[in-house]
């Protein structure tokens, strides 16, 4: 079993033991990712970029990953593949010679 | 190399070729996750739970994963480990006998 | 007509001319606020705190206000009243002598 | 004093008594709006569109408004004006004859 297969299996076992699949439609999973992303963001609010509490970041980030893996599973996406594919697409939107050293959006390059 | 090591290596190569590490402080990575989470959410707006466009969901979800992996790398987190640890913690907050079949938050169980 | 009555009336006229009330349930309005909040946030991504484009901030902030007013109207809330009430509640959570000059959350004061 | 002048005055008094202006840069105010928007969204998570708790919605929505007004004040925006201006712009993006009865984005009309 790969890392990601093990993660998904553990998440699905957890969900199924609690009979929670009924709640996990794609829209609510997307909501859950946003809720957790907001909780992560709160750890940085009014703070310098490096001053969030590392342990709490770890927990909120894990929650984001969990719902993201569950949503990926819902659509049958292979997480490694969709990330590597997206990096390739981004490489075309952000060619090195134009994007190097600038934070501009591709629409402004 | 495991899946997740390969994902992170590809992301870091992409970032370093563009000299973008200077922008990728933890706070802005948390912002980026929220921005991408909002773009994912938009795909479900005013729609039934199953009616988002699957191809676009794939792309937005990949962006969320990408920034989540970059933030994990920034703190030196092992993604598999932090997810499995969090599932264990959640198991204590949501014991099967209390949480089964209900979507209530653990504070209301 | 007060400012806020005029804002809500204009928003409702705009909505009703387009027959959009059918989409504007409370949950999707909350989603819309999050989508617009994410678009606002993107204007600050990878940037110093003061470096977002003012004109674009104006537009994204207006969108957030629009959906927030529509959600308030959906529940029959008086916007001025709910804000002033919340400020009073916050005054109890953040008494001046404890909260002065610190960005700590009330749970940590 | 108009409604909105009174809201802003009360918010600024609250802030200044606590010496919080130092934290309220535009970027962190945009973060705060996202954090509060996420808390609002959580009230609808795993639920039908109408089933959020009205009292809690009121409080979270008030928080969103509060930070939105503070950000507007930071840029010197007149809240009523920016909303009415945006509705006019949206009227051009969503002409009645094309947008009536459909939730499509203007880019798809």
């Amino acid at each position: 079993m790969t890392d990601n297969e093990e993660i998904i299996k553990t998440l699905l076992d957890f969900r199924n033991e609690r009979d929670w699949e009924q709640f996990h439609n794609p829209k609510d999973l997307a909501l859950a990712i946003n809720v957790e992303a907001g909780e992560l963001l709160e750890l940085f609010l009014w703070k310098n970029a490096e001053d969030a509490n590392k342990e709490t970041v770890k927990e909120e980030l894990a929650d984001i990953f969990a719902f993201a893996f569950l949503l990926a599973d819902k659509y049958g996406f292979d997480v490694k593949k969709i990330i590597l594919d997206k990096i390739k697409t981004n490489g075309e939107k952000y060619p090195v010679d134009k994007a190097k050293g600038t934070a501009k959006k591709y629409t402004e390059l």
Side-chain angles (χ1 to χ4, degrees), chain A residues 3-64:
Chain A
D3 280 357
N4 291 344
E5 286 166 351
E6 185 181 347
I7 290 168
I8 287 178
K9 188 191 175 317
T10 313
L11 286 166
L12 294 182
D13 286 350
F14 183 91
R15 183 193 75 187
N16 293 338
E17 281 170 11
R18 284 159 187 77
D19 195 17
W20 282 354
E21 188 175 5
Q22 58 184 314
F23 307 117
H24 285 196
N25 62 77
K27 186 169 182 169
D28 277 299
L29 288 171
L31 258 88
I33 292 172
N34 273 268
V35 169
E36 300 298 343
E39 293 184 3
L40 174 71
L41 197 61
E42 188 180 10
L43 307 176
F44 294 92
L45 186 61
W46 321 125
K47 292 191 183 151
N48 290 323
E50 318 289 338
D51 290 354
N53 180 291
K54 186 175 168 177
E55 283 308 305
T56 333
V57 169
K58 186 190 291 184
E59 294 188 12
E60 298 302 345
L61 189 55
D63 284 334
I64 294 169

Side-chain angles (χ1 to χ4, degrees), chain A residues 60-90:
Chain A
E60 298 302 345
L61 189 55
D63 284 334
I64 294 169
F65 270 116
F67 288 117
F69 271 103
L70 284 166
L71 184 56
D73 175 72
K74 186 64 75 176
Y75 284 100
F77 298 150
D78 174 319
V79 169
K80 186 172 88 170
K81 186 177 176 345
I82 69 171
I83 300 175
L84 297 186
D85 285 354
K86 192 57 172 37
I87 294 173
K88 196 173 284 183
T89 307
N90 285 351

